[in-house]
């Protein structure tokens, strides 16, 4: 069943996505809602560290993003009210849990719509100026990478902080890391010291934020990740990782196949990524003269296709919905 009213937020502008009264009411009920979310979450939320933040001061909270209940954990862990920047259209349309997110405060951004992306920044600025905080996930989507604790960050946190600084508001970024080990019931959360990201240029500021997030997450992993011997991982650990990510996505009960929207990663145009370097070799014609050079790359490309999570989830969704 499609959600009522919430989908209309996709078409709301800067001035009408929320009312001034709505912001005040949400700020008033926030302490009660955070307790309800903590109790209602099917996973136990364990807060392992939290800085002393200035009272009655808005911040931009930025969290790592890995699993279904990290939105619940973020809302429950914050010590103040914050609107959530959310980019999952399928949840807006169909997920009944998003009535709670709407009650908390919600800014929707369509990641594939330039107008929506641009308008999300002044929407967040409006909330900050009202005295409430913002919660966002600057990785843009779940981190499905096997070896990067934190993906490259989108520029949203910096844009908001820098724009506000030009207007006389010095708003700091609060990094938050979350960790959950596959099927275990606990979600571990650790929050770091605020960062004045707007005192740097965009590139350096985002590097400092990503470093802070990765450090916090690594500390949680050191404390709570299981110790596994390499010999116990079998011959194909990447396939095990792929199946675990599949299980986590299926917990989300997606109505539509929206994995082209959900499985993304920010890419700096100035950085050559491995998959982008390999892709041109798919179109190279093999001859006797170049086979010894090209064939190894084609074998590697075919091998990588086995671990393409997006294509894998397209197939899983089609099978589940039959």
């Amino acid at each position: 069943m499609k959600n009522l009213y919430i989908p209309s937020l996709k078409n709301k502008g800067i001035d009408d996505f929320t009312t001034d009264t709505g912001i005040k009411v949400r700020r008033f009920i926030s302490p009660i809602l955070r307790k309800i979310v903590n109790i209602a979450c099917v996973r136990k939320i364990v807060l392992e560290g939290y800085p002393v933040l200035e009272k009655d001061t808005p911040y931009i909270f930025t969290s790592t993003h890995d699993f279904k209940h990290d939105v619940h954990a973020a809302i429950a862990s914050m010590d103040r009210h914050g609107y959530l920047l959310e980019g999952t259209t399928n949840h807006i349309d169909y997920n009944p849990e998003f009535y709670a997110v709407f009650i908390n405060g919600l800014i929707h951004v369509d990641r594939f719509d330039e107008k929506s992306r641009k308008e999300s920044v002044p929407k967040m600025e409006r909330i900050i100026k009202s005295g409430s905080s913002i919660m966002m996930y600057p990785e843009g989507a779940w981190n499905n990478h096997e070896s990067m604790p934190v993906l490259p960050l989108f520029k949203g946190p910096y844009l908001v902080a820098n724009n506000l600084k030009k207007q006389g508001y010095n708003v700091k970024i609060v990094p938050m890391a979350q960790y959950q080990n596959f099927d275990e019931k606990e979600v571990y959360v650790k929050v770091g010291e605020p960062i004045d990201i707007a005192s740097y240029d965009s590139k350096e500021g985002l590097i400092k934020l990503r470093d802070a997030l990765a450090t916090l997450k690594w500390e949680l992993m050191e404390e709570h990740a299981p110790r596994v011997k390499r010999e116990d991982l079998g011959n194909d650990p990447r396939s095990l990782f792929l199946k675990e990510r599949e299980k986590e996505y299926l917990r989300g009960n997606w109505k539509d196949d929206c994995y082209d929207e959900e499985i993304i990663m920010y890419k700096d145009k100035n950085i050559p990524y491995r998959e982008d370097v390999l892709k041109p070799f798919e179109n190279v014609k093999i001859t006797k003269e170049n086979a010894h050079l090209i064939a190894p790359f084609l074998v590697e490309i075919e091998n990588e296709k086995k671990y393409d999570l997006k294509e894998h989830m397209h197939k899983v969704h089609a099978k589940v919905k039959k």
Side-chain angles (χ1 to χ4, degrees):
M1 178 182 294
K2 194 164 186 177
N3 287 337
L4 300 175
Y5 181 72
I6 302 177
S8 68
L9 292 176
K10 292 182 290 185
N11 303 315
K12 299 288 186 179
I14 298 166
D15 297 320
D16 62 350
F17 78 96
T18 190
T19 64
D20 293 340
T21 300
I23 297 172
K24 293 177 182 177
V25 170
R26 288 179 170 91
R27 191 156 57 229
F28 178 76
I29 66 174
S30 177
I32 300 171
L33 181 63
R34 296 199 303 271
K35 289 180 180 179
I36 293 173
V37 171
N38 198 344
I39 295 170
C41 186
V42 298
R43 286 168 170 165
K44 182 181 178 182
I45 302 169
V46 182
L47 183 58
E48 299 231 322
Y50 203 94
V52 177
L53 301 179
E54 294 182 27
K55 189 177 180 181
D56 300 325
T57 299
Y59 291 90
I60 302 170
F61 288 80
T62 59
S63 175
T64 58
H65 204 18
D66 296 273
F67 45 87
K68 179 185 176 184
H69 291 100
D70 58 14
V71 171
H72 304 70
I75 292 174
S77 298
M78 291 169 61
D79 68 341
R80 62 199 64 205
H81 175 239
Y83 268 61
L84 174 71
L85 179 69
E86 197 282 331
T88 303
T89 304
N90 193 263
H91 284 334
I92 288 284
D93 287 339
Y94 298 106
N95 190 338
E97 294 180 10
F98 266 62
Y99 284 110
V101 178
F102 168 69
I103 293 171
N104 170 77
L106 173 66
I107 300 172
H108 176 69
V109 55
D110 184 338
R111 289 173 287 205
F112 293 113
D113 183 89
E114 184 178 1
K115 181 174 181 288
S116 179
R117 293 197 306 271
K118 286 183 177 179
E119 287 191 349
S120 68
V121 173
K123 285 179 179 179
M124 288 186 280
E125 292 173 17
R126 181 183 163 199
I127 296 300
I128 292 287
K129 291 176 183 177
S130 77
S132 284
S133 295
I134 290 294
M135 161 55 68
M136 67 170 73
Y137 296 84
E139 291 173 284
W142 284 358
N143 183 349
N144 299 301
H145 203 282
E146 300 152 65
S147 60
M148 280 196 283
V150 177
L151 297 178
L153 306 182
F154 284 86
K155 296 180 180 180
Y158 184 85
L159 291 175
V160 176
N162 193 50
N163 285 358
L164 286 169
K165 189 167 187 176
K166 293 175 181 177
Q167 301 169 52
Y169 298 86
N170 188 26
V171 183
K172 294 183 179 180
I173 308 285
V174 179
M176 175 188 293
Q178 303 192 45
Y179 175 74
Q180 182 261 327
N181 183 48
F182 295 137
D183 292 325
E184 291 184 3
K185 298 264 184 189
E186 293 80 15
V187 175
Y188 298 98
V189 182
K190 193 168 188 178
V191 183
E193 294 293 332
I195 304 170
D196 185 5
I197 195 173
S199 63
Y200 307 97
D201 63 30
S202 173
K203 182 177 180 180
E204 186 177 3
L206 290 170
I207 287 174
K208 288 188 176 296
L209 175 57
R210 188 183 179 200
D211 285 349
L213 290 169
T215 299
L216 291 167
K217 189 172 180 180
W218 187 262
E219 290 170 353
L220 291 175
M221 292 167 65
E222 279 192 316
E223 182 69 24
H224 301 291
R227 271 47 177 176
V228 181
K229 293 181 179 179
R230 178 63 182 84
E231 61 201 56
D232 295 332
L233 290 174
N235 296 324
D236 193 6
R238 293 185 69 186
S239 288
L240 295 177
F241 182 82
L242 190 72
K243 293 300 291 183
E244 290 295 345
R245 297 314 296 163
E246 174 192 325
K247 287 166 63 176
E248 193 61 36
Y249 273 105
L250 290 179
R251 288 188 177 101
N253 298 316
W254 309 93
K255 180 177 175 58
D256 301 320
D257 181 343
C258 52
Y259 296 107
D260 285 333
E261 176 185 8
E262 290 303 311
I263 301 177
I264 60 172
M265 185 180 85
Y266 174 76
K267 289 186 176 182
D268 189 324
K269 295 178 181 178
N270 298 314
I271 297 176
Y273 291 88
R274 182 168 174 269
E275 57 270 27
D276 299 325
V277 172
L278 288 175
K279 194 167 183 62
F281 286 96
E282 292 181 323
N283 302 317
V284 175
K285 183 178 179 180
I286 297 183
T287 66
K288 290 181 180 180
E289 289 75 24
N290 68 15
H292 68 290
L293 296 173
I294 304 300
F297 289 105
L298 296 180
V299 170
E300 188 173 354
I301 291 171
E302 287 303 309
N303 185 58
E304 285 299 305
K305 288 180 180 178
K306 296 189 301 183
Y307 308 110
D308 188 323
L309 179 61
K310 188 181 295 185
E311 292 304 314
H312 178 77
M313 291 310 302
H314 285 321
K315 294 174 184 177
V316 168
H317 182 86
K319 185 177 180 180
V320 169
K321 293 302 178 181
K322 277 186 178 180

